[in-house]
Amino acid sequence: MKLFIDTCNWKLVLILKKDDQIIDSLILPDTKKVSDIALSTITKLLSKNNLKINDIQEFYLTNGPGSYTGVRVGLTIVKTLKTLNNEIKVYLMNSLAFQAANDQAISILDARGNKYYIGVYENQKSLIEETVVNLSELDDIKKTYSNFLIKEDNESLDYIQTFNLLEKKFRLVDEIEEILPLYIKNFI
């Protein structure tokens, strides 16, 4: 059994998958208090499907960038579970790459304060390092990559379809110490 968790960008996204079939999913928008509800919501989703946390062998999660608290929530849950059971597998992908999917895209997430997390991708290959930019820099990047799709703030993102598409592109992390957030600290 697999569980996808995204807590990075003001949503709580959970997807349960078994044998290439989506069993259940839950997307809660505008969860500014994701730290208060994440664990209980995961427990409820599992219980609804007659599962326990020990039934999950593989965890897939986004590790940022995004809300600092949100990024830490998903990672802390999975890191704790991996500490308790080192046999579980943990797979990571950054939020910008997940949003870009396999497209030729500029992936943009609101970093607040008129700043934006951005990544530019072509079929999951990063063309520029993920960074934080201001509006004028973002406009320059859009001009440079004018033929690329603009994907912003997970608008219209079909999480289930995207997870199915990208599942094999998540990076397996073997050691607990590798379960790290992607914090982009670029002061502009």
Side-chain angles (χ1 to χ4, degrees), residues 54-90:
N54 291 342
D55 294 321
I56 308 297
Q57 296 90 28
E58 297 179 24
F59 290 87
Y60 292 77
L61 66 154
T62 56
N63 64 330
S67 152
Y68 282 173
T69 299
V71 168
R72 288 190 308 266
V73 169
L75 290 172
T76 300
I77 291 168
V78 172
K79 202 171 194 175
T80 301
L81 294 170
K82 179 102 173 130
T83 300
L84 296 171
N85 177 6
N86 198 37
E87 299 302 311
I88 66 170
K89 293 184 179 173
V90 177

Side-chain angles (χ1 to χ4, degrees), residues 110-116 133-134 188:
D110 187 352
R112 306 287 194 237
N114 294 317
K115 295 180 182 102
Y116 305 89
V133 297
N134 63 33
I188 53 177

Side-chain angles (χ1 to χ4, degrees), residues 106 135-148 150:
I106 301 170
L135 186 56
S136 67
E137 292 169 312
L138 179 59
D139 289 340
D140 290 344
I141 290 168
K142 287 179 178 178
K143 287 175 190 166
T144 301
Y145 298 95
S146 60
N147 59 331
F148 282 45
I150 304 293

Side-chain angles (χ1 to χ4, degrees), residues 3-185:
L3 178 62
F4 169 79
I5 302 171
D6 183 346
T7 59
C8 292
N9 292 288
W10 300 279
K11 287 182 184 167
L12 173 58
V13 181
L14 304 172
I15 301 171
L16 270 174
K17 187 172 185 179
K18 180 179 181 182
D19 301 329
D20 295 325
Q21 295 283 51
I22 299 298
I23 305 300
D24 203 349
S25 66
L26 177 69
I27 300 171
L28 297 176
D30 300 321
T31 53
K32 297 199 187 311
K33 297 286 185 180
V34 71
S35 59
D36 294 342
I37 64 167
L39 197 52
S40 63
T41 304
I42 290 169
T43 302
K44 287 176 190 170
L45 181 70
L46 293 175
S47 179
K48 174 183 166 193
N49 290 281
N50 298 314
L51 296 168
K52 293 187 172 118
I53 199 71
N54 291 342
D55 294 321
I56 308 297
Q57 296 90 28
E58 297 179 24
F59 290 87
Y60 292 77
L61 66 154
T62 56
N63 64 330
S67 152
Y68 282 173
T69 299
V71 168
R72 288 190 308 266
V73 169
L75 290 172
T76 300
I77 291 168
V78 172
K79 202 171 194 175
T80 301
L81 294 170
K82 179 102 173 130
T83 300
L84 296 171
N85 177 6
N86 198 37
E87 299 302 311
I88 66 170
K89 293 184 179 173
V90 177
Y91 299 85
L92 300 177
M93 179 178 287
N94 84 60
S95 306
L96 292 164
F98 186 81
Q99 178 176 244
N102 282 334
D103 293 322
Q104 190 178 47
I106 301 170
S107 185
I108 305 166
L109 295 169
D110 187 352
R112 306 287 194 237
N114 294 317
K115 295 180 182 102
Y116 305 89
Y117 299 117
I118 64 114
V120 178
Y121 303 91
E122 187 165 15
N123 195 29
Q124 280 292 297
K125 181 179 184 248
S126 179
L127 301 181
I128 63 170
E129 185 175 354
E130 294 81 4
T131 191
V132 175
V133 297
N134 63 33
L135 186 56
S136 67
E137 292 169 312
L138 179 59
D139 289 340
D140 290 344
I141 290 168
K142 287 179 178 178
K143 287 175 190 166
T144 301
Y145 298 95
S146 60
N147 59 331
F148 282 45
L149 293 172
I150 304 293
K151 294 193 171 187
E152 192 165 359
D153 293 327
N154 296 316
E155 293 172 9
S156 305
L157 179 64
D158 184 327
Y159 285 91
I160 293 171
Q161 179 182 1
T162 303
F163 176 62
N164 280 332
L165 182 70
L166 297 178
E167 179 182 342
K168 298 206 181 322
K169 294 186 177 186
F170 276 69
R171 179 179 57 90
L172 174 65
V173 292
D174 295 315
E175 302 299 324
I176 292 169
E177 296 79 24
E178 295 177 79
I179 303 174
L180 296 172
L182 175 59
Y183 292 141
I184 300 175
K185 297 177 184 176

